[in-house]
Amino acid sequence: MSDPLKLVEAVRARLGPKAVLTDPADIEPWATDWRGRWHGKSVAILQPSSTEEVAAIVALASENGVPLVPQGGNSSMVGGATPPADGSALILSLRRMNRIRSIDRGAMRAVADAGVILQSLHEAALEHGLRFPLTLGAKGSATVGGLISTNAGGTQVLRFGPMRALADGIEAVLPDGTVHDGLTGLKKDNRGYSLDQLLVGAEGTLGIVTAARLKLVPAIHLRAVAWLGLSSPQKALDTLRALEADTDRIEGFEILPQESLDAALRHIPGTRAPLDSRHEWHALVEATTHGADAEPPAELLTRLLAPLVERGVVENATISATEAQAEAFWRIRDSLSEAERAAFGPATQHDISVAVEDMPLFMAEAAAEVERAFPGTSASGFGHLGDGNIHFHVRAGTRGGPDWLEQEGNAVQWLVDDLVIAAGGSISAEHGIGVMKRDELARLQPDRVRHLRAIKAALDPKGLMNPGKLV
Amino acid sequence: MSDPLKLVEAVRARLGPKAVLTDPADIEPWATDWRGRWHGKSVAILQPSSTEEVAAIVALASENGVPLVPQGGNSSMVGGATPPADGSALILSLRRMNRIRSIDRGAMRAVADAGVILQSLHEAALEHGLRFPLTLGAKGSATVGGLISTNAGGTQVLRFGPMRALADGIEAVLPDGTVHDGLTGLKKDNRGYSLDQLLVGAEGTLGIVTAARLKLVPAIHLRAVAWLGLSSPQKALDTLRALEADTDRIEGFEILPQESLDAALRHIPGTRAPLDSRHEWHALVEATTHGADAEPPAELLTRLLAPLVERGVVENATISATEAQAEAFWRIRDSLSEAERAAFGPATQHDISVAVEDMPLFMAEAAAEVERAFPGTSASGFGHLGDGNIHFHVRAGTRGGPDWLEQEGNAVQWLVDDLVIAAGGSISAEHGIGVMKRDELARLQPDRVRHLRAIKAALDPKGLMNPGKLV
């Protein structure tokens, strides 16, 4: 095994002492993922301040045969940024590279270093009357580099797409130490395979993302959030399709069952039921406008929802009268994971997707199948119906106590994953593969993994980029 | 060298006589590109009728070591679909696979075989009240597979993006004979590198595209086309940015100089000057709506252009009063290549892009540089300013006769390409690399080509997929 300390010395000699952290107290918080599920070891954190410094580090790592684990906010859900436990690799932190290089109002693009935190990007765009439309729970810590490398999703994918659709170009240091410069802002470029697109969702296994050019949209002028009572996920989807047939201003569409709403009302302080009626299912719908000339979103939603209520597709509906009420609706949605944990105890959580049109049937059939195979459990899902992406939970129910996850978690995981693959879906909709799902992907899709490995070996023949992740 | 006739026999034995054409009269039109610039040879055309048959052919080709040249409409601008001259490869025609597998109105997606002709796709979408928004001159022959493999562009890229943005998933037979199925309709899928995106623009060098899932948009309800007189490309860009700040309904923005307009008026029967005034530059602007509730596009353009005319950004403007007039405006734009050939004689043509904001300055500086280096020539450009993609032409002028292209064409090409690369641009904006630009790409960007070759070798280790193209 090559010696990571030799790389530490080489980097210190080349880039000076500021580029290297070796105090165990500085390293420890970053050697374990944020939820404390994966524990790694690293004798140092390398923290370059520029693309040139990243290139120097990658070249030195290649010379010394020492693997690098790139890290942004360390908010991976799948152990994607945790170093190997044997201490063979060094953490490469991009957090010092936190400059927004430019915001071009005319072209509606921002160029941001990999270490820029999502929230900072939101604020910077807003100062120019613009918006970076991707947002998610970890926005206070997640970085541009991590969002690119995991093809992050979130709640506004419905209208604006995931990071893959918002990345207009990427700068990265490839494993051979050369810099790929995709920041040139070309709208049309047909010089063969897109290295930009290859780096999106690569989880740091093909090189170190150092910056990205990102699409912006006009800032929100007005928004409105509707809360709907519905009899089923299918009715929710029918509603979404009916809305989309008349407007392109719907940018959020989330569903949850009554029991999840009840859990939030019971366990999350300050939440109130949006409707005074009970329904099997609920949906939250957000519409926005970015100009004063367009129909205000509350009027738009009122106009479009009225005939759906009349026809019985929607059982009941209310529309936020104020921004505070809109926030309160979203607060219920955003607290569902926490509320479910408090209300239902141990549960397996599955970040899965199938084709949007197939999701209502899949949810019903998968829940029935799981409950049959593991009597006493109860299965349900909530989340981004409009993206075909549900966070599917299997709760221990009467079947097990606090150690149920250890006893049966894997068996439940395999069954759910088998059902997802049989439905043509993905076992990772938005969290990535990382360490957590690597073996599962190889079990389920050996052909696919073989092709990914061939690409990985071609660009990173020494296997030094984020070892042990994805492939 | 392996024997292509052995593959012919193997395919005939496996798939029957309908899958193979060996009559030279059948082969000849497809062995040369449509403009007659590249001449190849092939002893047979293989014409599978299903993905399974393509997979069988690829497996047999791999066993026999015979390269395959995939072909759709054979309308490549860069020799991307012409077989090698030594007859070592077989043409694999996708034209028998011409079924539109499904159109999903709710999800606004079509799944089409690789051999579906663009025009047929347009018509099929329209029957469902939908539109496939990409269009280009060769729409009567270009196929879905070719459009995917060349990441095709065209005139509506401004709003809807090139093929890369419209491809929602791809089915392809990879070089090892396995089928990659990306047609599952997942809006979110984070299982590592996107093979779909890798196949877009790969020019058939990584496998055979057999089908694609494509994004559709609502059919056009109304459209209007404005014709503007302007003093410069910079004013044109200022105009575009001013329009885009107020609306997202602009979907075409093309510019041309007065001399190109004059050429069209002189040489293209039935054309008339849209304005009664002369201007250094002209722009064509298209706006559409897809619903009756939106402001009609003619009113929208009138309202947004009026202040620009008042402020002198736009010198003069007229808006099409009828659909026939809108067509007449577009007819001028679409005939520019032909008109320029007739008016100015031999010229080199460069399909180039730079960042949109940089294009006005680039056009002026590059033209000056070329005219200085080659006294007597005149250089100019027209086309997709809103995409940063100009068709830049260098006309022989007083410098040479009919054989000028042969004498100085390459030298002019190299100079223009050097200027494009120095400006951070692309030497192929929308036509691809093919045979024509392969050596030039390797000369200008050896690092990039090394990475492309590594990927190519990883997925196609025997080098049997469209040999001699791109890498």
Side-chain angles (χ1 to χ4, degrees):
Chain A
M1 200 175 84
S2 48
D3 183 359
L5 285 171
K6 279 176 67 178
L7 178 56
V8 171
E9 283 320 306
V11 171
R12 195 179 272 138
R14 176 79 64 89
L15 304 179
K18 275 184 76 175
V20 185
L21 292 177
T22 52
D23 184 337
D26 290 335
I27 298 168
E28 196 275 324
W30 306 98
T32 294
D33 77 297
W34 68 286
R35 291 188 298 188
R37 295 192 187 182
W38 290 274
H39 302 279
K41 239 167 69 182
S42 178
V43 296
I45 294 178
L46 307 178
Q47 40 175 16
S49 66
S50 69
T51 302
E52 295 66 37
E53 292 195 1
V54 174
I57 288 172
V58 169
L60 291 170
S62 180
E63 276 170 36
N64 288 276
V66 175
L68 298 171
V69 177
Q71 206 177 69
N74 194 26
S75 50
S76 171
M77 302 289 281
V78 292
T82 305
D86 63 4
S88 60
L90 296 187
I91 294 172
L92 176 63
S93 169
L94 280 301
R95 283 182 300 275
R96 274 178 74 204
M97 291 182 61
N98 59 1
R99 204 164 58 87
I100 292 175
R101 298 190 193 174
S102 64
I103 290 186
D104 182 334
R105 217 195 167 299
M108 297 214 284
R109 294 291 186 276
V111 177
D113 279 352
V116 168
I117 288 170
L118 180 54
Q119 174 108 41
S120 309
L121 179 62
H122 285 162
E123 288 162 8
L126 203 55
E127 281 172 24
H128 291 76
L130 297 171
R131 171 166 69 130
F132 181 65
L134 186 141
T135 188
L136 38 70
K139 65 184 172 189
S141 56
T143 61
V144 165
L147 295 164
I148 290 280
S149 295
T150 59
N151 183 26
T155 48
Q156 316 303 110
V157 171
L158 185 66
R159 183 164 177 200
F160 300 106
M163 207 64 182
R164 185 178 296 290
L166 296 169
D168 192 38
I170 288 170
E171 180 191 86
V173 177
L174 299 182
D176 63 0
T178 59
V179 176
H180 163 70
D181 179 6
L183 302 181
T184 44
L186 302 179
K187 284 193 70 175
K188 280 173 157 181
D189 181 12
N190 274 358
R191 289 174 289 177
Y193 327 140
S194 169
L195 295 178
D196 291 327
Q197 283 291 332
L198 199 56
L199 289 160
V200 177
E203 304 190 6
T205 61
L206 298 180
I208 313 292
V209 172
T210 51
R213 186 175 152 95
L214 298 165
K215 294 182 189 167
L216 304 175
V217 299
I220 292 175
H221 178 67
L222 289 172
R223 75 162 174 169
V225 180
W227 192 280
L228 315 181
L230 297 146
S231 63
S232 68
Q234 184 59 53
K235 293 290 185 195
L237 186 55
D238 294 346
T239 301
L240 174 63
R241 293 313 188 206
L243 295 173
E244 286 181 332
D246 275 310
T247 179
D248 54 6
R249 304 197 183 284
I250 305 299
E251 63 176 67
F253 196 98
E254 305 278 315
I255 63 164
L256 59 155
Q258 178 73 47
E259 68 209 40
S260 297
L261 173 59
D262 288 339
L265 298 177
R266 245 190 342 266
H267 293 277
I268 308 297
T271 52
R272 289 183 47 186
L275 298 170
D276 50 17
S277 48
R278 291 178 69 81
H279 306 271
E280 289 284 309
W281 286 84
H282 295 258
L284 178 158
V285 189
E286 177 164 295
T288 63
T289 50
H290 64 254
D293 58 327
E295 182 180 10
E299 289 174 30
L300 175 78
L301 286 174
T302 305
R303 180 169 63 82
L304 297 182
L305 286 169
L308 296 172
V309 174
E310 241 167 68
R311 280 167 43 211
V313 181
V314 174
E315 295 181 338
N316 198 358
T318 184
I319 292 165
S320 59
T322 62
E323 181 59 21
Q325 204 175 6
E327 280 291 342
F329 290 176
W330 269 113
R331 187 166 145 66
I332 293 172
R333 162 63 186 90
D334 290 337
S335 66
L336 288 181
S337 284
E338 187 190 338
E340 289 233 338
R341 256 194 311 277
F344 303 119
T348 59
Q349 298 172 3
H350 312 269
D351 163 43
I352 57 166
S353 65
V354 301
V356 180
E357 312 301 318
D358 297 343
M359 186 53 96
L361 189 62
F362 176 83
M363 289 173 73
E365 290 188 347
E369 193 97 21
V370 169
E371 291 168 6
R372 193 158 50 234
F374 298 93
T377 63
S378 76
S380 185
F382 62 83
H384 325 297
L385 178 70
D387 305 321
N389 171 202
I390 287 293
H391 297 289
F392 190 76
H393 290 191
V394 180
R395 306 161 193 142
T398 61
R399 191 171 174 85
D403 53 353
W404 176 74
L405 272 179
E406 277 156 56
Q407 288 166 0
E408 286 196 332
N410 281 340
V412 171
Q413 178 82 46
W414 293 328
L415 174 58
V416 172
D417 289 348
D418 286 342
L419 294 171
V420 167
I421 294 293
S426 171
I427 62 165
S428 178
E430 59 178 3
H431 295 166
I433 298 297
V435 171
M436 183 170 127
K437 299 184 178 178
R438 192 191 50 176
D439 295 344
E440 190 64 344
L441 184 63
R443 173 179 81 87
L444 292 163
Q445 302 194 284
D447 276 352
R448 175 171 178 80
V449 170
R450 193 160 36 79
H451 294 126
L452 299 189
R453 284 189 183 145
I455 295 167
K456 160 78 172 175
L459 293 179
D460 181 22
K462 296 184 185 174
L464 300 181
M465 296 289 124
N466 210 9
K469 312 306 187 318
L470 180 54
V471 289
Chain B
M1 200 173 87
S2 47
D3 183 0
L5 285 172
K6 279 177 65 179
L7 178 57
V8 171
E9 283 320 305
V11 170
R12 198 179 269 136
R14 177 79 64 90
L15 304 179
K18 277 184 74 175
V20 185
L21 292 178
T22 51
D23 185 336
D26 290 334
I27 297 168
E28 197 275 325
W30 305 99
T32 295
D33 78 296
W34 68 285
R35 293 187 299 189
R37 295 192 186 181
W38 290 274
H39 303 279
K41 240 169 65 182
S42 179
V43 294
I45 294 178
L46 308 178
Q47 41 177 16
S49 66
S50 68
T51 302
E52 294 64 40
E53 290 195 3
V54 175
I57 288 172
V58 170
L60 290 170
S62 179
E63 274 169 39
N64 288 275
V66 176
L68 298 172
V69 177
Q71 207 177 68
N74 194 26
S75 50
S76 173
M77 303 289 281
V78 291
T82 306
D86 63 5
S88 59
L90 296 187
I91 294 172
L92 175 62
S93 168
L94 279 301
R95 284 182 298 277
R96 273 179 75 206
M97 289 181 61
N98 60 1
R99 204 165 56 89
I100 293 176
R101 298 190 193 174
S102 64
I103 290 185
D104 180 335
R105 216 194 169 297
M108 298 215 284
R109 295 291 186 275
V111 176
D113 278 354
V116 168
I117 287 170
L118 180 55
Q119 175 110 41
S120 310
L121 179 61
H122 286 162
E123 289 162 8
L126 202 55
E127 281 173 25
H128 290 76
L130 297 171
R131 172 167 69 131
F132 181 64
L134 187 142
T135 188
L136 37 70
K139 66 183 172 189
S141 57
T143 60
V144 165
L147 295 164
I148 290 278
S149 295
T150 59
N151 184 24
T155 47
Q156 317 301 109
V157 171
L158 186 66
R159 183 164 178 201
F160 300 107
M163 208 61 181
R164 186 178 295 292
L166 296 169
D168 191 38
I170 289 170
E171 181 191 85
V173 177
L174 299 181
D176 63 0
T178 59
V179 176
H180 163 71
D181 178 7
L183 302 180
T184 43
L186 302 181
K187 285 193 70 176
K188 282 174 156 180
D189 182 11
N190 274 359
R191 286 174 291 177
Y193 328 141
S194 169
L195 296 177
D196 291 327
Q197 284 292 330
L198 199 56
L199 289 159
V200 177
E203 304 190 9
T205 61
L206 298 181
I208 312 294
V209 173
T210 50
R213 186 175 152 97
L214 298 164
K215 294 180 189 168
L216 304 175
V217 300
I220 292 174
H221 178 68
L222 289 171
R223 75 161 174 171
V225 179
W227 191 280
L228 316 181
L230 297 147
S231 62
S232 68
Q234 183 60 54
K235 293 288 185 198
L237 187 54
D238 294 345
T239 302
L240 174 61
R241 292 314 188 206
L243 295 173
E244 286 181 332
D246 275 312
T247 179
D248 55 4
R249 305 198 180 281
I250 305 299
E251 64 176 68
F253 195 96
E254 305 279 315
I255 64 164
L256 58 155
Q258 179 73 46
E259 69 210 41
S260 297
L261 173 59
D262 287 341
L265 298 176
R266 244 185 349 263
H267 293 279
I268 307 298
T271 51
R272 290 183 46 187
L275 298 170
D276 51 17
S277 49
R278 291 179 67 81
H279 306 271
E280 290 285 307
W281 286 85
H282 296 257
L284 179 159
V285 188
E286 177 164 296
T288 63
T289 49
H290 65 255
D293 58 328
E295 183 179 10
E299 289 174 31
L300 174 77
L301 286 174
T302 305
R303 177 168 66 79
L304 297 182
L305 286 169
L308 296 171
V309 174
E310 242 167 69
R311 281 167 41 209
V313 181
V314 174
E315 295 180 340
N316 198 358
T318 183
I319 293 165
S320 60
T322 62
E323 181 59 22
Q325 205 176 2
E327 280 291 340
F329 290 176
W330 269 114
R331 188 165 143 69
I332 294 173
R333 163 62 187 92
D334 290 337
S335 66
L336 288 180
S337 285
E338 188 189 338
E340 289 234 338
R341 256 194 311 277
F344 304 118
T348 59
Q349 298 171 5
H350 312 268
D351 162 44
I352 58 166
S353 64
V354 300
V356 180
E357 311 302 318
D358 298 342
M359 186 51 98
L361 188 64
F362 176 83
M363 289 173 72
E365 291 188 347
E369 193 98 20
V370 168
E371 290 167 7
R372 192 159 52 234
F374 300 93
T377 63
S378 76
S380 185
F382 63 82
H384 325 298
L385 179 69
D387 306 322
N389 173 204
I390 288 293
H391 297 289
F392 191 76
H393 289 191
V394 180
R395 306 159 191 144
T398 62
R399 190 171 175 87
D403 53 356
W404 175 75
L405 270 179
E406 277 157 54
Q407 288 165 358
E408 285 195 332
N410 281 341
V412 172
Q413 177 85 47
W414 293 327
L415 174 58
V416 172
D417 288 347
D418 286 342
L419 294 171
V420 168
I421 294 293
S426 172
I427 62 167
S428 178
E430 58 177 4
H431 294 166
I433 298 298
V435 171
M436 184 170 127
K437 299 185 179 179
R438 193 192 49 175
D439 295 345
E440 190 64 343
L441 184 62
R443 173 179 82 84
L444 292 162
Q445 302 194 282
D447 276 352
R448 175 172 179 79
V449 170
R450 193 159 35 81
H451 293 127
L452 299 189
R453 283 188 183 144
I455 295 166
K456 161 79 172 174
L459 293 180
D460 181 22
K462 297 184 184 175
L464 300 181
M465 297 288 125
N466 211 8
K469 314 306 188 316
L470 179 56
V471 287

